[in-house]
Amino acid sequence: MALDATEDKPTNIAGERLRSIIERIERLEEERKALASDIKDIYSEAKSAGFDIKVIRQLIRIRKQEPAEVEEQETLLDVYRRAIGM
């Protein structure tokens, strides 16, 4: 059974909308892939400059948090360190 040329194309609004959504997601996935590659390059640059990547990642994670949350975690960390004699 041969397909008509019109059967290959979305013929209703829902099909066109779905295709648009899928294409937008695909474009964003490509952008995300490119950004991930750029971030990897920056980490490599930092490493070759002598910086500790684990510490940089930790700093980035901390900077995303609210200041009060960071302060609470640091206080608890200090309390726990003292509790185990560090």
Side-chain angles (χ1 to χ4, degrees):
M1 180 158 132
L3 287 178
D4 226 0
T6 57
E7 291 178 357
D8 290 339
K9 299 177 186 172
T11 55
N12 59 34
I13 300 292
E16 291 172 10
R17 174 73 181 196
L18 178 59
R19 180 181 298 253
S20 171
I21 289 169
I22 290 170
E23 289 172 350
R24 287 171 36 213
I25 291 170
E26 289 171 339
R27 279 193 301 274
L28 290 171
E29 290 288 344
E30 285 299 316
E31 287 179 31
R32 180 175 23 192
K33 196 183 313 181
L35 288 172
S37 176
D38 291 346
I39 291 169
K40 183 179 176 184
D41 291 344
I42 294 170
Y43 279 119
S44 293
E45 177 185 339
K47 185 176 182 176
S48 65
F51 294 107
D52 186 316
I53 301 306
K54 287 181 182 179
V55 174
I56 290 175
R57 288 184 191 277
Q58 186 175 3
L59 287 171
I60 291 170
R61 189 174 59 250
I62 290 169
R63 288 171 53 104
K64 289 179 184 179
Q65 297 174 346
E66 294 294 321
E69 187 180 345
V70 172
E71 185 177 339
E72 180 182 348
Q73 287 180 357
E74 288 176 352
T75 300
L76 282 172
L77 184 60
D78 187 47
V79 168
Y80 288 10
R81 281 182 176 152
R82 279 188 266 134
I84 63 170
M86 289 182 71

